[in-house]
Amino acid sequence: PTWEWRFIKEVFHRDPLVGMRGFRTFLRSADPKVRQTNELFLPTLTPKRSDFFANDVIFLGDMPAATLSTRFCEMAKEFVSNFGGGLVVLAGPRFGPGELAETPLAEMLPVVVDPDAGIRDNKPFRLQLTPEAMEVDFMRLGGEDPAENAKAWGNLGRLPWYQPVARLHPLATALAEHPTDTCVDGKTPQPLIAIRHYGRGEVVYLGFDETWRLRRQYGELYYRQFWGQMIHRLGLSHALGSQKRFVVRTDRQQYQIDDTALV
C-alpha cells in the first residue's frame, strides 16, 4: 500500500459522512486471508452488481492491467456513465495509467495515455495550477483567496516524479500542469490533474500519488480539504447508495399537451 492510500484512508475513516463503514479497499498485494477476515478489505474487485453499484466513488490506484477484468471495467463504465458515479485514477510509479490503454477504462480518462511512457523522475518540479483550477471546488484549498490558495499548493513542495501522457482529452479540463514539460504536440503542458464529464458522472486523473505532501507543514488542513471536497463533488453531493440500481428517465426534455411520453 502506498503512502497516498494510507493517508486517504485516514481522512475518510475520520469523516462523519464516510467513516470506517464507508471506505473499503481491494489491495492486490494483501494476503487472501486478510481479505477474507478483515472487513476493511474487499475480497474481490467484482462483487455482485448490487454491491458494486452501491458505491458512490471509486479510486483506482497503481494497478496492473491483468488485475482489471473486463467485468470490472464494464461495470465501472456503467457506474460512471449511467449512474453518475465518480472515478478517481491515481498514477503510480510501479505500473502507471498506461496499463489502462487496452482496457475499456481508457476512453473514460481525462487524458490519452501512452502505454510505453515511463515515469519522469529526472528533475524535481513544482506543480503549476491552470486558470480553470479556481473554478473547481477541490482545487480551491484556500477558499476564494488566491494568496491562501497559492500558500496551500506551495506547501506541496517540489514533486520528485510524474507520469507523462500523450495528450489531454479534448473534452477534459486541465487543473494543474507541469511547468516545463509538454505533450507529444510540443506545445501543450503535461497535465498533472485533470477532470472530465463522462456520461452522467465525472472522472478525475492525477498524474502522481504524492498529494500527501500537502501535510508537510499544516497537517491535515489542506490535505483533508482536497480529498474531502473531491469526494463530496463526485459522490456525496448526489449519493444514492444502493438505490442507484435503476435510473428514471424520460425520452425528451419538453412535451406538448397530448404528446406521448416514454419513461
Side-chain angles (χ1 to χ4, degrees):
T2 63
W3 285 110
E4 194 80 282
W5 173 80
R6 294 172 193 265
F7 287 121
I8 288 175
K9 172 175 66 72
E10 291 303 314
V11 165
F12 292 120
H13 279 183
R14 292 199 291 270
D15 190 316
L17 294 177
V18 181
M20 294 186 69
R21 295 178 59 84
F23 187 89
R24 289 292 179 270
T25 300
F26 175 81
L27 192 62
R28 190 182 69 94
S29 59
D31 187 305
K33 292 181 180 178
V34 172
R35 294 187 201 147
Q36 296 294 336
T37 59
N38 188 329
E39 66 174 11
L40 298 181
F41 293 92
L42 296 172
T44 175
L45 268 179
T46 53
K48 60 183 181 179
R49 284 177 59 86
S50 59
D51 290 343
F52 189 92
F53 289 108
N55 292 299
D56 294 303
V57 180
I58 295 174
F59 291 80
L60 187 60
D62 200 8
M63 299 278 277
T67 307
L68 306 173
S69 67
T70 300
R71 182 168 182 263
F72 169 81
C73 293
E74 293 295 344
M75 285 201 297
K77 283 183 63 177
E78 187 180 0
F79 168 76
V80 176
S81 62
N82 291 357
F83 295 107
L87 174 65
V88 182
V89 177
L90 294 110
R94 295 188 63 200
F95 303 104
E99 293 284 307
L100 305 180
E102 301 300 323
T103 74
L105 298 179
E107 67 183 68
M108 302 171 61
L109 298 177
V111 295
V112 178
V113 298
D114 180 353
D116 300 318
I119 65 170
R120 291 184 186 169
D121 58 359
N122 57 323
K123 185 178 180 182
F125 63 94
R126 290 186 179 274
L127 168 150
Q128 183 172 290
L129 299 184
T130 66
E132 291 79 10
M134 286 299 285
E135 299 174 11
V136 177
D137 41 13
F138 61 80
M139 297 296 291
R140 295 195 298 267
L141 303 186
E144 300 296 331
D145 183 351
E148 179 73 11
N149 204 49
K151 169 189 167 185
W153 283 103
N155 186 49
L156 196 62
R158 293 162 67 84
L159 295 173
W161 67 273
Y162 81 99
Q163 173 66 53
V165 297
R167 61 184 181 276
L168 184 72
H169 191 280
L171 300 178
T173 301
L175 306 177
E177 301 169 330
H178 194 282
T180 56
D181 289 0
T182 58
C183 297
V184 292
D185 63 4
K187 298 181 294 183
T188 309
Q190 280 283 346
L192 299 178
I193 304 177
I195 189 170
R196 68 169 286 199
H197 287 280
Y198 185 78
R200 292 171 175 262
E202 284 187 300
V203 182
V204 175
Y205 167 81
L206 279 81
F208 58 99
D209 65 353
E210 304 270 339
T211 64
W212 56 269
R213 294 174 182 272
L214 286 168
R215 301 165 52 95
R216 190 162 57 103
Q217 295 183 55
Y218 307 106
E220 285 198 354
L221 176 62
Y222 297 125
Y223 189 74
R224 179 181 289 274
Q225 177 104 351
F226 179 75
W227 288 109
Q229 292 281 14
M230 185 186 294
I231 203 81
H232 187 272
R233 176 190 179 102
L234 297 183
L236 296 181
S237 61
H238 51 82
L240 297 173
S242 61
Q243 297 307 309
K244 59 178 180 290
R245 286 173 293 180
F246 64 89
V247 177
V248 178
R249 296 191 193 124
T250 54
D251 58 333
R252 288 187 304 199
Q253 294 291 325
Q254 296 181 337
Y255 298 90
Q256 302 294 325
I257 294 175
D258 294 329
D259 282 353
T260 299
L262 176 64
V263 178

